[in-house]
Amino acid sequence: MNQDRIGDLLIKYTTLTKEQLEECVALQSEEGGRLGDILLRKKYVLPHEIMRALCAQIDLAYVEDLKANEIDPTLVDKIPINYARTREVLPLEFKDNILTVAVSDPFNLESLEDIRIIFNCPTVNTVVTSPARIQDAINRVYERNTSNMIQDIDKDDEENYDLEGPIDILDATEDEAPVIRFVNSVIFRAVKEKASDIHIEPFEKEVVIRFRVDGIMHDILHQPRKVHAAVSSRVKVMGNLDIAEKRIPQDGRIFRKVAGKEIDIRLSTIPTQFGERIVMRILEKGGKLLSLEGLGFEGETLEQVNKLVHRENGIILITGPTGSGKSTTMAACLERINTNDINILTVEDPIEYQLNGVGQVQVNAKINLTFASALRSFLRQDPDVIMVGEIRDTETADLAVTAALTGHLVFSSLHTNEAAGSFPRLIDMGVEPFLVASSVNGVLAQRLVRRVCLKCRESYEASPLELQELGIKNLQGPITLFKAVGCQNCNQTGYSGRINVHELLIMDDTIRTLVMKNSDSGSIRKAAMDKGMLTMWEDGARKVLSGVTTLQELTRSLNMDE
């Protein structure tokens, strides 16, 4: 037994000062009550700090971390997970007839007696840790046990669990099967419905799960809010996140096999008013790479892109907002020129497509592996072609220009709404106008529009107003368009899959002169259109007339008036 007073131990083990302690002792003399409660009320110490000081006083071990991977899994089989969570006890080790148990409250003698009876062990040694850390360890060690039972999601399907009904997670058995099956079923359904993102959103009275399919959000199911804690904990365990930490955003990754496909899920959590909001971005590892033709390139635009990607140097920029398919288009361009006689290096965030024979680098900010640092190293790797996922800053822009001007073909992307806006954007980043004009070969701006479902679309005769909107003049007879209806094949949306609409601005002497003069994007755009550039709206109008998409979808996607 340590003879030091609890106050002295708190000063020794925490940031508590002597003056703060004397203030609280004086309040205790006036008001009565426990000193610890007064210290907590004044926010001078935290609950686990008081417990650590108490442990030091009564010679109990206090541990800051419990390593779940070192805990004997056969021990936890004897204790239901609900009991472990409620009582905050976790057996750690059984050696020489002595059972070591982690607890958050060493004075909970009833639970310790239960453990002694369950294990038929006369001697129980206790170590103490914080409630948050023991809950985290409980989740991890029990999840490790159950993961042996459910290795791949494709061993369960959505028929194994009723997603629409409320799930009885709070009464889950020790194997925690209901929540595991529920989360697996949500992921399985998302992959089956070709969703790009899963959103788990807690509100005051319910939890809403939504999928983003073909760029559009869809409500999938609603559950009582009480299930959120169990579902979010399960997802965070799958992504190797800190379950005890709910105050700050976290990012992780989940690797699963769904229906024979390897799926890479990028996980993001943020704290909100009613709990952590979770978003899972689904990426299919080794996903099928579409050709340029499959992405929607045709005619003269396809010929121009082919010429650009076979140049030996210069920059090809692909622009558009987040989610407009820039990475897919860049990957298709690289696949077009990917032969054994050239060296291709890429730096991406994330790597969405595996390209055979291409050196692909994943950005990792934690170790300072950025687009710029990777690009700087690439220049010493004797590349012929370089792909930089995105130009985000001046350093990356300068390095890309340097690479292009020293004999390398560079692909990259920018967040601009139109092709002509790329030049002012690079100049605003600090790249000299003459360097931009000398290095950029062409800019491709694009959006994604949904393809109308071929199984349920309905044809109709276009009205004069719709023809005017599409830019059709000198009408020769009726024009047939299509509208989305909805069927089982397209989940009643009327659309299935997406296709690019784009505009390709080719650098020529006229554009080069305007860029060197630092002209605005409007002037550059007008000059390109005068030279025959097909705008995104015009390309989209062609796809509407050919029955690939609808006028309503084109208007929604571009949200612009040409």
Side-chain angles (χ1 to χ4, degrees), residues 112-280:
L112 293 175
E113 182 63 23
D114 290 342
I115 296 294
R116 186 179 288 108
I117 293 172
I118 290 171
F119 286 90
N120 192 25
C121 178
T123 306
V124 176
N125 180 41
T126 58
V127 298
V128 184
T129 190
S130 70
R133 293 304 169 195
I134 198 167
Q135 290 285 358
D136 185 20
I138 288 169
N139 279 313
R140 292 186 184 280
V141 72
Y142 278 90
E143 191 277 339
R144 186 184 63 183
N145 278 12
T146 56
S147 65
N148 294 328
M149 178 184 67
I150 303 177
Q151 290 290 337
D152 294 335
I153 295 176
D154 58 352
K155 294 179 183 177
D156 282 339
D157 61 27
E158 79 280 8
E159 295 179 358
N160 285 351
Y161 213 91
D162 177 15
L163 290 180
E164 301 302 330
I167 53 176
D168 196 5
I169 288 176
L170 298 186
D171 293 330
T173 58
E174 63 269 17
D175 63 7
E176 209 182 2
V179 66
I180 291 177
R181 291 207 312 273
F182 176 79
V183 172
N184 285 355
S185 296
V186 168
I187 296 174
F188 185 98
R189 179 171 172 180
V191 173
K192 179 182 177 182
E193 297 184 8
K194 300 179 181 178
S196 61
D197 301 87
I198 302 170
H199 291 244
I200 302 176
E201 304 168 344
F203 296 101
E204 184 177 6
K205 296 181 180 179
E206 64 179 358
V207 177
V208 178
I209 295 181
R210 300 196 291 168
F211 292 168
R212 185 180 294 278
V213 181
D214 292 336
I216 305 297
M217 296 288 285
H218 299 275
D219 268 23
I220 300 302
L221 63 138
H222 295 236
Q223 289 288 332
R225 185 171 174 238
K226 67 179 182 180
V227 309
H228 177 260
V231 170
S232 63
S233 292
R234 168 61 187 168
V235 172
K236 289 172 73 175
V237 165
M238 292 170 71
N240 291 318
L241 302 186
D242 187 347
I243 296 176
E245 182 56 76
K246 303 178 187 297
R247 302 164 299 171
I248 60 174
Q250 296 188 67
D251 295 302
R253 300 183 79 169
I254 300 171
F255 298 97
R256 281 295 185 269
K257 198 172 185 181
V258 182
K261 300 177 182 178
E262 292 186 358
I263 302 298
D264 179 3
I265 300 174
R266 294 177 65 84
L267 174 64
S268 172
T269 72
I270 60 169
T272 67
Q273 181 181 5
F274 299 110
E276 289 178 289
R277 176 173 288 217
I278 296 171
V279 175
M280 292 183 274

Side-chain angles (χ1 to χ4, degrees), residues 3-211:
Q3 300 301 316
D4 290 341
R5 295 180 302 174
I6 188 68
D8 296 330
L9 290 170
L10 285 170
I11 291 175
K12 180 178 180 181
Y13 289 109
T14 73
T15 58
L16 181 71
T17 65
K18 184 177 180 181
E19 291 75 17
Q20 291 171 334
L21 176 62
E22 291 174 350
E23 175 191 345
C24 292
V25 169
L27 284 174
Q28 184 185 31
S29 300
E30 296 174 9
E31 304 173 358
R34 296 180 178 178
L35 177 61
D37 292 338
I38 298 173
L39 288 166
L40 290 174
R41 190 179 75 213
K42 300 290 288 184
K43 298 182 179 180
Y44 289 154
V45 295
L46 297 172
H48 74 272
E49 293 177 327
I50 292 179
M51 183 58 68
R52 182 168 58 182
L54 285 171
C55 289
Q57 190 177 46
I58 60 177
D59 293 329
L60 274 180
Y62 187 91
V63 294
E64 293 290 347
D65 188 25
L66 296 174
K67 297 179 179 179
N69 60 335
E70 296 180 2
I71 297 174
D72 185 352
T74 61
L75 296 178
V76 300
D77 287 340
K78 298 183 178 182
I79 301 177
I81 187 172
N82 279 351
Y83 183 92
R85 283 175 170 167
T86 304
R87 306 299 180 90
E88 293 184 341
V89 296
L90 182 66
L92 303 179
E93 183 184 49
F94 188 68
K95 187 177 182 180
D96 298 331
N97 287 326
I98 298 175
L99 178 68
T100 301
V101 180
V103 297
S104 63
D105 180 5
F107 306 109
N108 187 355
L109 301 180
E110 181 183 351
S111 296
L112 293 175
E113 182 63 23
D114 290 342
I115 296 294
R116 186 179 288 108
I117 293 172
I118 290 171
F119 286 90
N120 192 25
C121 178
T123 306
V124 176
N125 180 41
T126 58
V127 298
V128 184
T129 190
S130 70
R133 293 304 169 195
I134 198 167
Q135 290 285 358
D136 185 20
I138 288 169
N139 279 313
R140 292 186 184 280
V141 72
Y142 278 90
E143 191 277 339
R144 186 184 63 183
N145 278 12
T146 56
S147 65
N148 294 328
M149 178 184 67
I150 303 177
Q151 290 290 337
D152 294 335
I153 295 176
D154 58 352
K155 294 179 183 177
D156 282 339
D157 61 27
E158 79 280 8
E159 295 179 358
N160 285 351
Y161 213 91
D162 177 15
L163 290 180
E164 301 302 330
I167 53 176
D168 196 5
I169 288 176
L170 298 186
D171 293 330
T173 58
E174 63 269 17
D175 63 7
E176 209 182 2
V179 66
I180 291 177
R181 291 207 312 273
F182 176 79
V183 172
N184 285 355
S185 296
V186 168
I187 296 174
F188 185 98
R189 179 171 172 180
V191 173
K192 179 182 177 182
E193 297 184 8
K194 300 179 181 178
S196 61
D197 301 87
I198 302 170
H199 291 244
I200 302 176
E201 304 168 344
F203 296 101
E204 184 177 6
K205 296 181 180 179
E206 64 179 358
V207 177
V208 178
I209 295 181
R210 300 196 291 168
F211 292 168

Side-chain angles (χ1 to χ4, degrees), residues 282-331:
I282 300 173
L283 303 170
E284 184 179 334
K285 295 182 69 177
K288 182 180 178 182
L289 183 60
L290 294 175
S291 64
L292 290 172
E293 292 85 351
L295 293 176
F297 291 89
E298 57 189 6
E300 185 180 353
T301 303
L302 179 60
E303 293 179 9
Q304 291 174 324
V305 171
N306 272 325
K307 289 179 181 178
L308 284 176
V309 301
H310 285 94
R311 296 275 293 270
E312 292 188 353
N313 55 63
I315 299 176
I316 301 171
L317 292 173
I318 300 175
T319 76
T322 300
S324 59
K326 299 186 296 294
S327 297
T328 303
T329 299
M330 281 195 287

